[in-house]
Amino acid sequence: MFLLLHFVVLLDVKGFALTEGSTITPVCPEGYFPCGNLTKCLPRSFHCDGVNDCGDGADEDNCGDTSGWATIFGTIHGNADEVTFAPECFLTQHPRRCDCRGTELECVNAGLRSVPPTSGNVTLLSLKKNKIRSLPDKVFIKYTALRKIFLQHNCIRHISRKAFVGLHNLQILYLSHNCITALRPGLFKDLHQLAWLILDDNPITSISQQLFTGLNSLFFLSMVNNCLEALPKQMCVQVPQLNWMDLEGNRIKYLTNSTFLSCDALTVLFLPRNQIDFVPEKTFSSLKNLGELDLSGNMITELPAHIFKDLKLLQKLNLSSNPLLHLHKNQFEGLQQLQSLDLERIEIPNINTRMFQPMRNLSHIYFKNFRYCSYAPHVRICVPLTDGISSLEDLLANNILRIFVWVIAFITCSGNLFVIGMRSFIKAENTTHAMSIKILCCADCLMGVYLFLVGFSDLKYRGQYQKYALVWTGSVQCRLMGALAMLSTEASVLLLTYLTLEKFLVIVFPFSNIRPGKRQTSAILLGIWIVGFLIAVIPFWNEDYFGNFYGKNGVCFPLYYDQAEDTGSKGYSLGIFLGVNLLAFLIMVFSYGVMFCSIQRTALHTSEVRSRLRREVAVANRFLIIVCSDAICWIPVFVIKILSLLRVEVPDTVTSWVVVFFLPVNSALNPVLYTLTTSSFKDKLQQLLHRHRRKSVSQTQKTSLSASIVWTDDSSSLKLGVLNKVTFGDSITKPMSW
Ligand SMILES: *[C@@H]1O[C@H](CO)[C@@H](O)[C@H](O)[C@H]1NC(C)=O
Ligand SMILES: *[C@@H]1O[C@H](CO)[C@@H](O)[C@H](O)[C@H]1NC(C)=O
Ligand SMILES: *[C@@H]1O[C@H](CO)[C@@H](O)[C@H](O)[C@H]1NC(C)=O
Ligand SMILES: *[C@@H]1O[C@H](CO)[C@@H](O)[C@H](O)[C@H]1NC(C)=O
Ligand SMILES: *[C@@H]1O[C@H](CO)[C@@H](O)[C@H](O)[C@H]1NC(C)=O
């Protein structure tokens, strides 16, 4: 079942044909990857989903991001504490509370206040978790055979300059979790064999270049969680063998172009969680052997364009959580070996496909946005796997959304269809107005259709959306759906504006003759549809300029854009929603305001007080409802747009709520507001039912009906009814009645 579905999707969405059995290695389309040596391509999202989609398991291979040296060295680092003991003790002297195996002495948590006396041929001394506060001069001088010293968790504060004198064979020195604030220059000058120096979790504020004097064999240096504010001018002059440097969690503020000048052997450089805000050109240019570079969690706002150019062997680069303002077009040029690139939480305003193209070996990429993934189609695994609207499993992540998309779709469609039916069934008096209303209902009905389609897509991808997310948002269906929604909203907005203006003319200038006739009305309505259609299809015009305008999220509605979008689509969306729609909204509010005042004034002059009050309340209510429904519908949209203009981040989920709940408000309410609740409609319906029941149509009734203008449209009818009764004949109400 599942296989069938995914085949269908493959064929369906990309028109991609499978050629099983053929031995030619397929050239998969962008975003698709070959299944090992089988001639089959799968969309990126099928990889590493825990399901053997390929059949040979190729899509579940190499899932973990094991690039870089972290894993290799991590195991060595982790095991360094582990000591393999020979059963017998060869040390003639040692404190009773210590464990002695062979020439190794373990005094863990033994309450020691100083380094205990023991035999000269001890090779390993573990004094973890004791109460040693200082290391005096020549404290290890007798133990020249020592290879490993473990002094973690002691709160050592003071280390004398000659503390490590004579340790010519020392290879590993652990001083982590102590209270060391300063290390004197020359402290390690006898430690020619030292390979591992671990100083994690100390409050060391600075280190000098001379500190490393003598450490000719230093291979691994770790100073995680110290308080370093700067690094020596040239970190590696004294330690040419340094291979691994971990300076995570310090307060380093800057790097200079000489900091790593002689670090030729360096393969791993960790600088996360520092305060680096400036990385000058050529900082890393001598790191020819660097395999992993981690600069995450710093304050870097700007990276020189060629900063990574010389890192020819770099496999893993982590730039996440930096306030980078932009990346250069050719920022990653030269990183041919890069396998993993972490750009999480980085806004990339100028993102484009070419930026990631040079990294042919890239297999893992991490972005802030799901959308960015479409710019790196050749990368096998792209995180995040989906956008915020949709969860990993479902297109509409929220149950309320999922249910209401159907409910609202149904209400919208049925309400509008009902009105279209009613208006066609009942012969209207003012056919042009009736036509406008019917056309409005058609536009609104499309919104219902769109919501149904959203509901269907949600059902289709239920439980496995993440696999299809990119395929779906890139699909023709999604784009057409978005265009449909766009057409519906824009046609509806323009029609409402037109209807408002028409009414406005009748009420505010009751004596003027500028009323569109039937032909003009038809032309205007046709024009509105053409404009709506153009607005909806223009984004298809130029893919380069607009990008995938509609497929920005699972519901395919181009409402919210973050800063990183193509300027074309961002500007267009802004122009439509904050330009056209806001203007229309303001025109409507203004027109209804003027109409209301105008009616009030006329009514005051023409009608007796009691009925006037009643009518006015009704008029006011209707105006309020119309304006409110527009406001409910459009204000959230305007707010989102303005927020995005102000560069405020709007969660993707908001879009789906607006699309499902607010946008269709107008479409669902329009039939009600413009037809169903008008008293004239109720009367007419009553009469119709009555007539139907009697099954006889009285000719006189019909005449009287048409003469007494019951079928006028909402607000205007009230006023015109008044006008009609007091001053004019039937004729004036005609344009406004059905
Ligand atoms: C594909 O590779 C597998 C091992 O990875 C091998 O057993 C199999 O024969 C190969 N198939 C073809 C068609 O080359
Ligand atoms: C260590 O030194 C003691 C004398 O101090 C000696 O008895 C013992 O054999 C030595 N052990 C080794 C392994 O050399
Ligand atoms: C480092 O930068 C300084 C200016 O800040 C410049 O004079 C010097 O030549 C640069 N060194 C290298 C190796 O690029
Ligand atoms: C990059 O660094 C961040 C924070 O330091 C970390 O959470 C993330 O896992 C790293 N990315 C990779 C791919 O290792
Ligand atoms: C990609 O990596 C493979 C091995 O992992 C290597 O053989 C190949 O040369 C790399 N490609 C490039 C373009 O460097």
PDB file of all heavy atoms in Angstrom, residues 29-58:
ATOM      1  N   PRO A  29      16.651  13.501 -10.818  1.00  0.00           N
ATOM      2  CA  PRO A  29      16.346  14.935 -10.843  1.00  0.00           C
ATOM      3  C   PRO A  29      16.759  15.589  -9.523  1.00  0.00           C
ATOM      4  O   PRO A  29      16.921  14.897  -8.519  1.00  0.00           O
ATOM      5  CB  PRO A  29      14.844  14.983 -11.038  1.00  0.00           C
ATOM      6  CG  PRO A  29      14.341  13.605 -10.885  1.00  0.00           C
ATOM      7  CD  PRO A  29      15.477  12.659 -10.892  1.00  0.00           C
ATOM      8  N   GLU A  30      16.914  16.870  -9.529  1.00  0.00           N
ATOM      9  CA  GLU A  30      17.293  17.608  -8.325  1.00  0.00           C
ATOM     10  C   GLU A  30      16.301  17.306  -7.206  1.00  0.00           C
ATOM     11  O   GLU A  30      15.095  17.253  -7.432  1.00  0.00           O
ATOM     12  CB  GLU A  30      17.282  19.111  -8.602  1.00  0.00           C
ATOM     13  CG  GLU A  30      18.349  19.553  -9.570  1.00  0.00           C
ATOM     14  CD  GLU A  30      19.668  19.851  -8.900  1.00  0.00           C
ATOM     15  OE1 GLU A  30      19.852  20.990  -8.464  1.00  0.00           O
ATOM     16  OE2 GLU A  30      20.516  18.939  -8.805  1.00  0.00           O
ATOM     17  N   GLY A  31      16.817  17.096  -6.030  1.00  0.00           N
ATOM     18  CA  GLY A  31      15.929  16.801  -4.912  1.00  0.00           C
ATOM     19  C   GLY A  31      15.638  15.310  -4.786  1.00  0.00           C
ATOM     20  O   GLY A  31      15.008  14.877  -3.841  1.00  0.00           O
ATOM     21  N   TYR A  32      16.111  14.528  -5.762  1.00  0.00           N
ATOM     22  CA  TYR A  32      15.925  13.076  -5.730  1.00  0.00           C
ATOM     23  C   TYR A  32      17.289  12.404  -5.637  1.00  0.00           C
ATOM     24  O   TYR A  32      18.288  12.947  -6.103  1.00  0.00           O
ATOM     25  CB  TYR A  32      15.215  12.606  -6.989  1.00  0.00           C
ATOM     26  CG  TYR A  32      13.748  12.935  -7.012  1.00  0.00           C
ATOM     27  CD1 TYR A  32      13.329  14.254  -7.135  1.00  0.00           C
ATOM     28  CD2 TYR A  32      12.787  11.945  -6.897  1.00  0.00           C
ATOM     29  CE1 TYR A  32      11.982  14.583  -7.146  1.00  0.00           C
ATOM     30  CE2 TYR A  32      11.447  12.253  -6.904  1.00  0.00           C
ATOM     31  CZ  TYR A  32      11.042  13.568  -7.036  1.00  0.00           C
ATOM     32  OH  TYR A  32       9.717  13.873  -7.042  1.00  0.00           O
ATOM     33  N   PHE A  33      17.323  11.235  -5.051  1.00  0.00           N
ATOM     34  CA  PHE A  33      18.603  10.580  -4.870  1.00  0.00           C
ATOM     35  C   PHE A  33      18.536   9.129  -5.293  1.00  0.00           C
ATOM     36  O   PHE A  33      17.514   8.473  -5.122  1.00  0.00           O
ATOM     37  CB  PHE A  33      19.042  10.697  -3.417  1.00  0.00           C
ATOM     38  CG  PHE A  33      19.325  12.103  -3.076  1.00  0.00           C
ATOM     39  CD1 PHE A  33      18.326  12.936  -2.654  1.00  0.00           C
ATOM     40  CD2 PHE A  33      20.590  12.611  -3.275  1.00  0.00           C
ATOM     41  CE1 PHE A  33      18.570  14.269  -2.413  1.00  0.00           C
ATOM     42  CE2 PHE A  33      20.847  13.936  -3.036  1.00  0.00           C
ATOM     43  CZ  PHE A  33      19.846  14.764  -2.597  1.00  0.00           C
ATOM     44  N   PRO A  34      19.643   8.641  -5.858  1.00  0.00           N
ATOM     45  CA  PRO A  34      19.618   7.263  -6.320  1.00  0.00           C
ATOM     46  C   PRO A  34      19.653   6.288  -5.149  1.00  0.00           C
ATOM     47  O   PRO A  34      20.225   6.576  -4.100  1.00  0.00           O
ATOM     48  CB  PRO A  34      20.890   7.148  -7.171  1.00  0.00           C
ATOM     49  CG  PRO A  34      21.791   8.204  -6.661  1.00  0.00           C
ATOM     50  CD  PRO A  34      20.927   9.294  -6.118  1.00  0.00           C
ATOM     51  N   CYS A  35      19.044   5.135  -5.357  1.00  0.00           N
ATOM     52  CA  CYS A  35      19.018   4.087  -4.349  1.00  0.00           C
ATOM     53  C   CYS A  35      20.237   3.211  -4.525  1.00  0.00           C
ATOM     54  O   CYS A  35      20.178   2.184  -5.194  1.00  0.00           O
ATOM     55  CB  CYS A  35      17.778   3.230  -4.544  1.00  0.00           C
ATOM     56  SG  CYS A  35      16.406   3.751  -3.554  1.00  0.00           S
ATOM     57  N   GLY A  36      21.353   3.566  -3.955  1.00  0.00           N
ATOM     58  CA  GLY A  36      22.543   2.740  -4.071  1.00  0.00           C
ATOM     59  C   GLY A  36      22.834   2.424  -5.523  1.00  0.00           C
ATOM     60  O   GLY A  36      22.824   3.303  -6.373  1.00  0.00           O
ATOM     61  N   ASN A  37      23.045   1.147  -5.845  1.00  0.00           N
ATOM     62  CA  ASN A  37      23.347   0.787  -7.221  1.00  0.00           C
ATOM     63  C   ASN A  37      22.093   0.395  -7.992  1.00  0.00           C
ATOM     64  O   ASN A  37      22.166   0.014  -9.141  1.00  0.00           O
ATOM     65  CB  ASN A  37      24.417  -0.313  -7.275  1.00  0.00           C
ATOM     66  CG  ASN A  37      24.001  -1.543  -6.492  1.00  0.00           C
ATOM     67  OD1 ASN A  37      22.864  -1.621  -6.024  1.00  0.00           O
ATOM     68  ND2 ASN A  37      24.904  -2.494  -6.362  1.00  0.00           N
ATOM     69  N   LEU A  38      20.930   0.449  -7.328  1.00  0.00           N
ATOM     70  CA  LEU A  38      19.690   0.195  -8.054  1.00  0.00           C
ATOM     71  C   LEU A  38      19.358   1.435  -8.864  1.00  0.00           C
ATOM     72  O   LEU A  38      19.697   2.551  -8.499  1.00  0.00           O
ATOM     73  CB  LEU A  38      18.537  -0.094  -7.086  1.00  0.00           C
ATOM     74  CG  LEU A  38      18.636  -1.394  -6.310  1.00  0.00           C
ATOM     75  CD1 LEU A  38      17.432  -1.534  -5.410  1.00  0.00           C
ATOM     76  CD2 LEU A  38      18.697  -2.569  -7.259  1.00  0.00           C
ATOM     77  N   THR A  39      18.686   1.209  -9.963  1.00  0.00           N
ATOM     78  CA  THR A  39      18.379   2.360 -10.805  1.00  0.00           C
ATOM     79  C   THR A  39      17.035   2.944 -10.401  1.00  0.00           C
ATOM     80  O   THR A  39      16.068   2.897 -11.131  1.00  0.00           O
ATOM     81  CB  THR A  39      18.334   1.924 -12.267  1.00  0.00           C
ATOM     82  OG1 THR A  39      17.519   0.765 -12.336  1.00  0.00           O
ATOM     83  CG2 THR A  39      19.717   1.627 -12.774  1.00  0.00           C
ATOM     84  N   LYS A  40      17.036   3.516  -9.238  1.00  0.00           N
ATOM     85  CA  LYS A  40      15.784   4.039  -8.711  1.00  0.00           C
ATOM     86  C   LYS A  40      16.108   5.346  -8.014  1.00  0.00           C
ATOM     87  O   LYS A  40      17.146   5.461  -7.357  1.00  0.00           O
ATOM     88  CB  LYS A  40      15.227   3.034  -7.710  1.00  0.00           C
ATOM     89  CG  LYS A  40      13.860   3.331  -7.197  1.00  0.00           C
ATOM     90  CD  LYS A  40      13.209   2.026  -6.741  1.00  0.00           C
ATOM     91  CE  LYS A  40      12.874   2.019  -5.279  1.00  0.00           C
ATOM     92  NZ  LYS A  40      12.397   0.714  -4.808  1.00  0.00           N
ATOM     93  N   CYS A  41      15.249   6.318  -8.147  1.00  0.00           N
ATOM     94  CA  CYS A  41      15.459   7.583  -7.445  1.00  0.00           C
ATOM     95  C   CYS A  41      14.333   7.791  -6.454  1.00  0.00           C
ATOM     96  O   CYS A  41      13.197   7.412  -6.700  1.00  0.00           O
ATOM     97  CB  CYS A  41      15.464   8.739  -8.430  1.00  0.00           C
ATOM     98  SG  CYS A  41      16.877   8.721  -9.526  1.00  0.00           S
ATOM     99  N   LEU A  42      14.690   8.385  -5.334  1.00  0.00           N
ATOM    100  CA  LEU A  42      13.683   8.685  -4.317  1.00  0.00           C
ATOM    101  C   LEU A  42      13.783  10.158  -3.958  1.00  0.00           C
ATOM    102  O   LEU A  42      14.865  10.728  -4.003  1.00  0.00           O
ATOM    103  CB  LEU A  42      13.948   7.859  -3.063  1.00  0.00           C
ATOM    104  CG  LEU A  42      13.647   6.374  -3.098  1.00  0.00           C
ATOM    105  CD1 LEU A  42      14.021   5.751  -1.777  1.00  0.00           C
ATOM    106  CD2 LEU A  42      12.194   6.126  -3.408  1.00  0.00           C
ATOM    107  N   PRO A  43      12.661  10.759  -3.577  1.00  0.00           N
ATOM    108  CA  PRO A  43      12.744  12.137  -3.088  1.00  0.00           C
ATOM    109  C   PRO A  43      13.599  12.169  -1.827  1.00  0.00           C
ATOM    110  O   PRO A  43      13.640  11.195  -1.082  1.00  0.00           O
ATOM    111  CB  PRO A  43      11.305  12.516  -2.758  1.00  0.00           C
ATOM    112  CG  PRO A  43      10.453  11.414  -3.238  1.00  0.00           C
ATOM    113  CD  PRO A  43      11.301  10.229  -3.511  1.00  0.00           C
ATOM    114  N   ARG A  44      14.224  13.296  -1.604  1.00  0.00           N
ATOM    115  CA  ARG A  44      15.131  13.461  -0.469  1.00  0.00           C
ATOM    116  C   ARG A  44      14.519  13.013   0.845  1.00  0.00           C
ATOM    117  O   ARG A  44      15.158  12.391   1.684  1.00  0.00           O
ATOM    118  CB  ARG A  44      15.504  14.939  -0.383  1.00  0.00           C
ATOM    119  CG  ARG A  44      16.117  15.342   0.922  1.00  0.00           C
ATOM    120  CD  ARG A  44      16.986  16.534   0.733  1.00  0.00           C
ATOM    121  NE  ARG A  44      16.224  17.745   0.494  1.00  0.00           N
ATOM    122  CZ  ARG A  44      16.753  18.852   0.004  1.00  0.00           C
ATOM    123  NH1 ARG A  44      18.007  18.898  -0.309  1.00  0.00           N
ATOM    124  NH2 ARG A  44      16.005  19.918  -0.185  1.00  0.00           N
ATOM    125  N   SER A  45      13.213  13.310   1.003  1.00  0.00           N
ATOM    126  CA  SER A  45      12.588  13.060   2.293  1.00  0.00           C
ATOM    127  C   SER A  45      12.411  11.581   2.588  1.00  0.00           C
ATOM    128  O   SER A  45      12.093  11.203   3.707  1.00  0.00           O
ATOM    129  CB  SER A  45      11.248  13.770   2.336  1.00  0.00           C
ATOM    130  OG  SER A  45      10.558  13.528   1.151  1.00  0.00           O
ATOM    131  N   PHE A  46      12.618  10.721   1.575  1.00  0.00           N
ATOM    132  CA  PHE A  46      12.480   9.294   1.841  1.00  0.00           C
ATOM    133  C   PHE A  46      13.711   8.724   2.529  1.00  0.00           C
ATOM    134  O   PHE A  46      13.675   7.636   3.065  1.00  0.00           O
ATOM    135  CB  PHE A  46      12.251   8.535   0.525  1.00  0.00           C
ATOM    136  CG  PHE A  46      10.823   8.578   0.061  1.00  0.00           C
ATOM    137  CD1 PHE A  46      10.282   9.773  -0.366  1.00  0.00           C
ATOM    138  CD2 PHE A  46      10.025   7.460   0.075  1.00  0.00           C
ATOM    139  CE1 PHE A  46       8.963   9.850  -0.785  1.00  0.00           C
ATOM    140  CE2 PHE A  46       8.706   7.520  -0.335  1.00  0.00           C
ATOM    141  CZ  PHE A  46       8.179   8.716  -0.770  1.00  0.00           C
ATOM    142  N   HIS A  47      14.779   9.489   2.492  1.00  0.00           N
ATOM    143  CA  HIS A  47      16.003   8.975   3.085  1.00  0.00           C
ATOM    144  C   HIS A  47      15.949   9.055   4.609  1.00  0.00           C
ATOM    145  O   HIS A  47      15.457  10.017   5.170  1.00  0.00           O
ATOM    146  CB  HIS A  47      17.204   9.763   2.564  1.00  0.00           C
ATOM    147  CG  HIS A  47      17.506   9.423   1.146  1.00  0.00           C
ATOM    148  ND1 HIS A  47      18.280   8.353   0.785  1.00  0.00           N
ATOM    149  CD2 HIS A  47      17.095   9.989  -0.002  1.00  0.00           C
ATOM    150  CE1 HIS A  47      18.348   8.279  -0.524  1.00  0.00           C
ATOM    151  NE2 HIS A  47      17.634   9.267  -1.036  1.00  0.00           N
ATOM    152  N   CYS A  48      16.441   8.023   5.218  1.00  0.00           N
ATOM    153  CA  CYS A  48      16.577   7.996   6.662  1.00  0.00           C
ATOM    154  C   CYS A  48      15.254   8.247   7.377  1.00  0.00           C
ATOM    155  O   CYS A  48      15.199   8.983   8.348  1.00  0.00           O
ATOM    156  CB  CYS A  48      17.620   9.018   7.106  1.00  0.00           C
ATOM    157  SG  CYS A  48      19.208   8.708   6.364  1.00  0.00           S
ATOM    158  N   ASP A  49      14.183   7.678   6.863  1.00  0.00           N
ATOM    159  CA  ASP A  49      12.900   7.823   7.553  1.00  0.00           C
ATOM    160  C   ASP A  49      12.554   6.554   8.307  1.00  0.00           C
ATOM    161  O   ASP A  49      11.452   6.399   8.805  1.00  0.00           O
ATOM    162  CB  ASP A  49      11.794   8.166   6.542  1.00  0.00           C
ATOM    163  CG  ASP A  49      11.603   7.078   5.500  1.00  0.00           C
ATOM    164  OD1 ASP A  49      12.477   6.187   5.417  1.00  0.00           O
ATOM    165  OD2 ASP A  49      10.597   7.114   4.787  1.00  0.00           O
ATOM    166  N   GLY A  50      13.504   5.622   8.360  1.00  0.00           N
ATOM    167  CA  GLY A  50      13.252   4.399   9.109  1.00  0.00           C
ATOM    168  C   GLY A  50      12.518   3.344   8.300  1.00  0.00           C
ATOM    169  O   GLY A  50      12.235   2.269   8.803  1.00  0.00           O
ATOM    170  N   VAL A  51      12.202   3.662   7.046  1.00  0.00           N
ATOM    171  CA  VAL A  51      11.526   2.687   6.193  1.00  0.00           C
ATOM    172  C   VAL A  51      12.448   2.364   5.026  1.00  0.00           C
ATOM    173  O   VAL A  51      13.035   3.265   4.431  1.00  0.00           O
ATOM    174  CB  VAL A  51      10.198   3.278   5.649  1.00  0.00           C
ATOM    175  CG1 VAL A  51       9.496   2.252   4.775  1.00  0.00           C
ATOM    176  CG2 VAL A  51       9.302   3.708   6.791  1.00  0.00           C
ATOM    177  N   ASN A  52      12.580   1.098   4.738  1.00  0.00           N
ATOM    178  CA  ASN A  52      13.437   0.698   3.631  1.00  0.00           C
ATOM    179  C   ASN A  52      12.698   0.916   2.318  1.00  0.00           C
ATOM    180  O   ASN A  52      12.077   0.021   1.771  1.00  0.00           O
ATOM    181  CB  ASN A  52      13.813  -0.776   3.820  1.00  0.00           C
ATOM    182  CG  ASN A  52      14.724  -1.269   2.714  1.00  0.00           C
ATOM    183  OD1 ASN A  52      15.067  -0.534   1.790  1.00  0.00           O
ATOM    184  ND2 ASN A  52      15.106  -2.516   2.809  1.00  0.00           N
ATOM    185  N   ASP A  53      12.764   2.132   1.806  1.00  0.00           N
ATOM    186  CA  ASP A  53      12.021   2.472   0.602  1.00  0.00           C
ATOM    187  C   ASP A  53      12.692   1.931  -0.656  1.00  0.00           C
ATOM    188  O   ASP A  53      12.048   1.686  -1.656  1.00  0.00           O
ATOM    189  CB  ASP A  53      11.876   3.989   0.474  1.00  0.00           C
ATOM    190  CG  ASP A  53      11.126   4.580   1.653  1.00  0.00           C
ATOM    191  OD1 ASP A  53       9.986   4.164   1.885  1.00  0.00           O
ATOM    192  OD2 ASP A  53      11.677   5.460   2.334  1.00  0.00           O
ATOM    193  N   CYS A  54      14.014   1.813  -0.605  1.00  0.00           N
ATOM    194  CA  CYS A  54      14.750   1.385  -1.797  1.00  0.00           C
ATOM    195  C   CYS A  54      14.599  -0.101  -2.055  1.00  0.00           C
ATOM    196  O   CYS A  54      14.659  -0.546  -3.182  1.00  0.00           O
ATOM    197  CB  CYS A  54      16.240   1.692  -1.630  1.00  0.00           C
ATOM    198  SG  CYS A  54      16.649   3.400  -1.961  1.00  0.00           S
ATOM    199  N   GLY A  55      14.445  -0.849  -0.995  1.00  0.00           N
ATOM    200  CA  GLY A  55      14.423  -2.295  -1.140  1.00  0.00           C
ATOM    201  C   GLY A  55      15.757  -2.906  -0.762  1.00  0.00           C
ATOM    202  O   GLY A  55      15.802  -3.986  -0.182  1.00  0.00           O
ATOM    203  N   ASP A  56      16.850  -2.193  -1.051  1.00  0.00           N
ATOM    204  CA  ASP A  56      18.165  -2.713  -0.666  1.00  0.00           C
ATOM    205  C   ASP A  56      18.725  -1.988   0.552  1.00  0.00           C
ATOM    206  O   ASP A  56      19.870  -2.174   0.926  1.00  0.00           O
ATOM    207  CB  ASP A  56      19.149  -2.597  -1.834  1.00  0.00           C
ATOM    208  CG  ASP A  56      19.392  -1.155  -2.231  1.00  0.00           C
ATOM    209  OD1 ASP A  56      18.672  -0.281  -1.691  1.00  0.00           O
ATOM    210  OD2 ASP A  56      20.277  -0.899  -3.046  1.00  0.00           O
ATOM    211  N   GLY A  57      17.904  -1.147   1.140  1.00  0.00           N
ATOM    212  CA  GLY A  57      18.311  -0.451   2.360  1.00  0.00           C
ATOM    213  C   GLY A  57      19.236   0.722   2.122  1.00  0.00           C
ATOM    214  O   GLY A  57      19.689   1.354   3.073  1.00  0.00           O
ATOM    215  N   ALA A  58      19.511   1.039   0.865  1.00  0.00           N
ATOM    216  CA  ALA A  58      20.459   2.116   0.569  1.00  0.00           C
ATOM    217  C   ALA A  58      19.975   3.462   1.107  1.00  0.00           C
ATOM    218  O   ALA A  58      20.782   4.327   1.432  1.00  0.00           O
ATOM    219  CB  ALA A  58      20.700   2.213  -0.930  1.00  0.00           C
TER     220      ALA A  58
END
